[in-house]
């Protein structure tokens, strides 16, 4: 069997001149039914998240539950040590004097939440990733300076190369690039 010579595509990238054009393109892309797409701009654009309907950020939930687990681990560890493993009567106080557990419980809460937050952020962003297929497009270097890009990814269930080209041409971009995946 011969290997396919057809290139694999990461997606199709459209280049826009202004932030307003990018926001309009993102809104039209979402309304057209595409869900796997991303926008790139040299600065944050507030309307872009609304236009892309991108409000799903699970990081706060992940950090909350990691902190909760950290609190349980810190409190449980001290309870186990003081009541079961090494009970020690200090100045006639009860063995289960829970107020003295608060500092360690707090520290474990913060440590679990912080480390999990950093690791979750890296995982959700797909980092570390030393090379991205978009870097193969020469004009994409302007994404951090003066240009605005919208990429519809081939992972989108609705992705069809010709249909995506036709759709993006209707948005009147400056240029359209096929992004090959390596």
């Amino acid at each position: 069997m011969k290997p396919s010579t057809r290139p694999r595509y990461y997606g199709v990238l459209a280049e826009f001149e202004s932030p307003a054009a990018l926001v309009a393109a993102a809104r039209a892309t979402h309304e057209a039914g595409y869900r796997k797409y991303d926008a790139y701009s040299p600065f944050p654009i507030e309307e872009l998240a609304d236009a892309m309907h991108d409000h799903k950020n699970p990081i706060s939930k992940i950090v909350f539950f990691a902190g909760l687990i950290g609190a349980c681990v810190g409190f449980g560890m001290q309870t186990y040590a003081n009541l079961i493993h090494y009970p020690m009567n200090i100045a006639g106080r009860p063995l289960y004097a829970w107020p003295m557990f608060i500092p360690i419980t707090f520290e474990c809460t913060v440590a679990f939440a912080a480390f999990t937050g950093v690791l979750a952020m890296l995982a959700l962003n797909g980092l570390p990733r030393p090379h991205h297929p978009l870097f193969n497009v020469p004009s994409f270097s302007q994404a951090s300076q003066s240009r605005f890009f919208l990429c519809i990814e081939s992972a989108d269930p609705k992705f069809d190369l010709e249909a995506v080209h036709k759709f993006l041409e209707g948005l009147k971009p400056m240029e359209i690039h096929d992004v090959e995946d390596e």
Side-chain angles (χ1 to χ4, degrees):
M1 184 171 169
K2 276 176 84 173
S4 174
T5 55
R6 185 176 171 210
R8 289 187 49 210
Y9 290 101
Y10 173 78
V12 179
L13 184 71
E15 182 177 352
F16 296 94
E17 196 167 34
S18 70
L22 178 63
V23 170
R27 187 169 289 120
T29 302
H30 188 82
E31 288 171 1
Y34 294 103
R35 296 297 179 258
K36 287 277 196 181
Y37 62 97
D38 211 346
Y40 304 90
S41 97
F43 50 83
I45 303 171
E46 285 187 32
E47 302 88 22
L48 196 54
D50 288 336
M52 295 174 66
H53 296 264
D54 187 19
H55 302 289
K56 298 176 286 179
N57 188 352
I59 197 80
S60 59
K61 291 176 187 165
I62 292 170
V63 168
F64 173 76
F65 285 110
L68 196 62
I69 290 170
C72 291
V73 166
F75 195 84
M77 180 179 63
Q78 293 175 90
T79 301
Y80 172 76
N82 285 322
L83 294 178
I84 297 168
H85 187 66
Y86 195 67
M88 189 167 26
N89 189 348
I90 300 172
R93 292 186 206 142
L95 293 177
Y96 186 66
W98 67 267
M100 72 179 186
F101 299 165
I102 289 175
I104 299 298
T105 301
F106 176 76
E107 294 297 331
C108 285
T109 302
V110 171
F112 273 61
F115 287 119
T116 303
V118 169
L119 294 175
M121 182 273 303
L122 291 173
L124 291 172
N125 286 328
L127 297 173
R129 187 174 189 175
H131 183 74
H132 194 281
L134 289 174
F135 297 157
N136 293 331
V137 177
S139 62
F140 190 71
S141 63
Q142 295 294 314
S144 61
Q145 298 172 8
S146 61
R147 293 283 187 240
F148 305 89
F149 294 90
L150 181 93
C151 181
I152 298 176
E153 298 173 10
S154 63
D156 190 291
K158 195 178 172 183
F159 186 86
D160 176 59
L161 189 62
E162 291 179 27
V164 169
H165 267 274
K166 195 172 187 177
F167 170 74
L168 288 176
E169 286 169 1
L171 299 176
K172 301 192 181 351
M174 295 170 55
E175 287 186 46
I176 295 176
H177 308 275
D178 290 338
V179 182
E180 292 182 13
D181 200 1
E182 297 172 3

